[in-house]
Amino acid sequence: MDDKEHEMVILLQKLNVSKPVAKALACLLSTDRITSREVERMSRLRQPEVSIAMNYLKENNWVDVEELKKKQGKGRPIKVYSLIVPMNEIIETIEKKVLSENKMLLENIEKLKSIS
């Protein structure tokens, strides 16, 4: 990952996005399609962390997963991921979540003030 991608990961983490999800997003932005093995190498995440991050991205309908059968031998198919939502929409979703959480915190502060 280059400096721009590292900065993106740091900023996403400051917005309460987990480190594996932030790194996976940065990797997905660098190319159209990427295998889980490539995400592991680029992000320096372990396989379970990549799997958890990709499951989170799938649950939010941000990525598409394609399973490719290996050409030779046996084993599990290779998973290829691609972003299906533009990054600006993902950022908007994160923004809404952060604003909602902050609104709730402010409401709780106001309730505390009124009680005391």
Side-chain angles (χ1 to χ4, degrees):
M1 287 198 280
D2 62 16
D3 290 342
K4 179 182 168 188
E5 291 164 335
H6 280 293
E7 184 178 5
M8 178 184 291
V9 170
I10 291 167
L11 290 171
L12 285 168
Q13 284 183 274
K14 288 180 180 180
L15 295 171
N16 293 329
V17 175
S18 73
K19 188 175 187 175
V21 171
K23 286 186 169 190
L25 269 173
C27 292
L28 284 161
L29 284 171
S30 67
T31 183
D32 290 338
R33 295 166 38 104
I34 191 167
T35 66
S36 53
R37 181 76 40 132
E38 290 169 327
V39 173
E40 286 177 47
R41 281 191 218 119
M42 285 178 67
S43 64
R44 295 196 170 128
L45 292 171
R46 296 176 299 122
Q47 187 279 325
E49 294 171 311
V50 172
S51 180
I52 290 167
M54 292 305 181
N55 284 335
Y56 176 85
L57 296 174
K58 281 191 292 187
E59 288 169 7
N60 284 290
N61 297 316
W62 294 343
V63 294
D64 183 47
V65 183
E66 183 182 349
E67 291 191 2
L68 302 176
K69 293 192 176 198
K70 293 184 177 180
K71 293 178 182 171
Q72 291 181 322
K74 298 178 182 179
R76 294 179 178 227
I78 299 169
K79 291 187 178 184
V80 180
Y81 299 94
S82 56
L83 271 181
I84 55 174
V85 175
M87 190 60 186
N88 62 337
E89 285 184 34
I90 294 172
I91 293 168
E92 284 177 21
T93 303
I94 294 168
E95 179 184 23
K96 287 177 185 173
K97 182 180 175 187
V98 168
L99 290 173
S100 172
E101 289 169 357
N102 285 335
K103 181 181 176 188
M104 186 178 67
L105 289 173
L106 288 172
E107 288 172 359
N108 289 337
I109 289 170
E110 290 302 318
K111 285 179 186 177
L112 278 173
K113 285 179 181 179
S114 69
I115 292 172
S116 58

